[in-house]
Amino acid sequence: MEMDPRRLLVLLAVARTGGVLAAADELRITPSAVSQQLNKLESEAGQALVMRTPKGSVLTPAGLAVAEAGEEIERALNVARARMQGEAQIAGVVRVGGFTSFMRTVVIPRLPEWRSQYPELQIQIVEDSFPALMRLFRQRQLDAVVVEQDSTAAVQHPLAAGMVEEPLLDEPWKLVVPAGSLLAADNIDLSRLHLPWLGVEPTAANLAVLGRLRHSTGARVDTVHQYQDTLTALALVAAGEGVAIVPTLALTGVIQDHVDVLDVPGLGTRHIAFRRYERRRPTSLPLDTVARLFRESAAAFDTRAGS
């Protein structure tokens, strides 16, 4: 099976924009040219890659695998472009929005190293809630934003026209309970927990986990309190007020007195991604560089966490 790598980028544009017309606008070619390239790519692959639906075009499982190859090609081209232009020319200000756990553990510790490597590049971090960050992002007051979502959630944060998303990290959700309250940690029945669940703010990714547990167990998932910061959740759990679902990153470097952190099958994972606007003009080298630094830092953190 030989596929023209140029056609992979067409498939990638369809995946990111959700349709042939939008992809054509993104690539600045005609819709018929996009359709022709897709048909040729499917012929080369020997199977369907795109499925047309009333709401747009979605990729088949085979299409997703091929699109991932397209992403690798795109990244390689960006790296090559950066090397040709030279690191010394990378200058400018890049404002990136994000949430506490990722910025605190993956990004901020690397800032001194990046500042030394790229002295003319300024990376400015903006921390806020998801709705506030997306509002700034749409107003172009942010160049990029790091988003989180439950990887198996039925409803994902949609991509607006022109936005693209690059995966950074997938990490397991953890169950946090008062110390000693669950002794049989290898066989936990989440539908029979004797403590209530702690509530989270409406846009938090772990809210989807609670909804999924409610659906899969058929049990009531009553919540008490409402927290935004993991430190607050840990304090409430330690006080015996309830149990909580928290991401692994949020527990990194945090004192966990009087609580037990448990791995429970079925909790799933949190997906973290780097969201930006697709470029229609020549590449933005500072933003490309920041995207690469974030990917590399996330990959390094993932490797350390898994070792």
Side-chain angles (χ1 to χ4, degrees):
M1 177 179 65
E2 293 187 6
M3 292 183 289
D4 188 332
R6 292 171 296 181
R7 296 189 181 112
L8 301 186
L9 300 180
V10 174
L11 180 67
L12 191 58
V14 173
R16 287 171 169 172
T17 62
V20 170
L21 293 177
D25 182 56
E26 195 69 40
L27 297 170
R28 293 193 170 185
I29 59 178
T30 65
S32 62
V34 173
S35 297
Q36 289 173 9
Q37 293 298 312
L38 290 178
N39 290 336
K40 290 179 180 179
L41 185 60
E42 289 182 327
S43 178
E44 292 170 348
Q47 53 187 305
L49 303 177
V50 177
M51 180 171 59
R52 279 75 174 181
T53 72
K55 295 184 178 180
S57 299
V58 297
L59 268 58
T60 65
L64 290 172
V66 175
E68 288 180 2
E71 288 182 334
E72 292 300 323
I73 292 174
E74 184 181 60
R75 291 184 190 126
L77 290 174
N78 287 338
V79 170
R81 188 180 296 112
R83 288 175 177 171
M84 287 188 294
Q85 295 192 25
E87 292 184 352
Q89 299 181 28
I90 300 176
V93 178
V94 177
R95 289 170 55 85
V96 184
F99 51 91
T100 303
S101 60
F102 184 83
M103 293 301 186
R104 176 178 61 84
T105 57
V106 177
V107 174
I108 293 175
R110 301 291 297 275
L111 289 179
E113 173 189 341
W114 297 342
R115 188 164 53 245
S116 175
Q117 186 176 5
Y118 303 100
E120 301 301 319
L121 176 64
Q122 297 182 42
I123 303 175
Q124 296 184 0
I125 303 301
V126 178
E127 182 186 68
D128 212 326
S129 65
F130 177 78
L133 291 175
M134 290 306 299
R135 182 168 58 252
L136 293 173
F137 185 42
R138 292 188 183 96
Q139 294 170 351
R140 306 302 175 99
Q141 296 184 48
L142 294 176
D143 300 293
V145 63
V146 177
V147 300
E148 59 162 355
Q149 53 195 4
D150 178 47
S151 58
T152 57
V155 179
Q156 304 284 358
H157 297 318
L159 286 173
M163 290 184 189
V164 295
E165 197 171 87
E166 302 176 42
L168 292 175
L169 187 65
D170 288 279
E171 55 163 357
W173 293 107
K174 303 286 188 179
L175 176 66
V176 183
V177 301
S181 61
L182 291 178
L183 299 180
D186 294 331
N187 187 26
I188 299 173
D189 185 350
L190 294 176
S191 66
R192 297 181 179 276
L193 290 176
H194 64 278
L195 289 169
W197 295 89
L198 298 182
V200 295
E201 53 99 8
T203 62
N206 38 2
L207 181 65
V209 184
L210 295 178
R212 182 155 44 82
L213 293 176
R214 182 185 297 111
H215 177 76
S216 62
T217 63
R220 294 181 58 185
V221 180
D222 296 322
T223 60
V224 296
H225 306 294
Q226 180 174 309
Y227 71 90
Q228 185 172 26
D229 191 283
T230 301
L231 293 177
T232 303
L234 292 176
L236 288 167
V237 173
E241 289 292 303
V243 298
I245 299 290
V246 298
T248 304
L249 277 181
L251 297 170
T252 303
V254 174
I255 297 175
Q256 302 165 19
D257 289 340
H258 311 299
V259 302
D260 290 333
V261 179
L262 308 175
D263 291 303
V264 180
L267 286 187
T269 59
R270 178 174 73 157
H271 178 68
I272 301 173
F274 187 89
R275 189 172 289 191
R276 60 188 290 184
Y277 281 97
E278 178 68 326
R279 303 171 304 276
R280 298 192 180 191
R281 294 188 173 88
T283 182
S284 169
L285 193 54
L287 183 53
D288 286 344
T289 301
V290 171
R292 174 176 59 81
L293 292 174
F294 274 46
R295 288 195 305 269
E296 293 174 352
S297 185
F301 186 91
D302 194 29
T303 300
R304 293 196 304 271
S307 63

